[in-house]
Amino acid sequence: SSSSSSSSSAGRRATLAVASTAAIIKYSEILSTTGVSSTKALAVLGVLALVQWAALDGTFSSLLLAIILAIGGPLAEIPFMAAGCWHYIDPDYWPLATVGLGPNTGTPWAGLSVITGPCYFAVTTDSIALGRWLATFPNSSKDPIDSE
């Protein structure tokens, strides 16, 4: 049937999206712990995230959402970093260093890493793929409360 074919295709895309995101995140760890410059790591991870998006989605709306979250996601981490929940191994303080919140300014909570953006981009792509796959299941759009 057409709907099972659609679900199967969406399921394959979702699986590939999650697996490729896991690989991108693991590669970001490797790049950050082996001394690769932030600029080079950003370029490599950015290309990988764009290839993932192009191969598994390709829609403008998903691209726009992924770009917004690639910028906003890392910035949303600041309160958690300020609370001491975690820190980056080798922060480069991007983009906050451009507004005077870089290293040696007494702002360790601003220690973001530029490579986090492509990871958020990739996670957005796989979240969209998972959502599209889940939407292929019968009754997936019904509110469980209304069905009682």
Side-chain angles (χ1 to χ4, degrees):
S1 94
S2 171
S3 85
S4 72
S5 172
S6 174
S7 177
S8 176
S9 174
R12 279 192 300 276
R13 280 183 198 266
T15 300
L16 288 170
V18 171
S20 59
T21 294
I24 289 168
I25 291 171
K26 181 62 179 175
Y27 198 51
S28 76
E29 176 194 3
I30 292 167
L31 292 172
S32 70
T33 57
T34 57
V36 174
S37 75
S38 295
T39 304
K40 185 173 183 180
L42 176 62
V44 169
L45 294 170
V47 166
L48 291 174
L50 280 169
V51 167
Q52 176 202 41
W53 165 80
L56 299 174
D57 189 302
T59 64
F60 178 75
S61 58
S62 293
L63 176 64
L64 185 60
L65 184 60
I67 290 169
I68 290 168
L69 291 173
I71 297 165
L75 294 175
E77 294 180 1
I78 291 173
F80 299 102
M81 292 171 51
C85 296
W86 75 79
H87 67 278
Y88 285 95
I89 296 168
D90 189 23
D92 52 28
Y93 291 81
W94 186 91
L96 300 175
T98 61
V99 293
L101 296 173
N104 305 319
T105 62
T107 55
W109 54 265
L112 295 173
S113 177
V114 71
I115 64 171
T116 310
C119 296
Y120 271 94
F121 187 106
V123 168
T124 303
T125 300
D126 80 41
S127 297
I128 292 167
L130 284 168
R132 287 180 178 153
W133 173 59
L134 292 173
T136 65
F137 290 97
N139 301 319
S140 65
S141 63
K142 287 188 180 177
D143 187 336
I145 295 172
D146 290 339
S147 63
E148 292 178 1

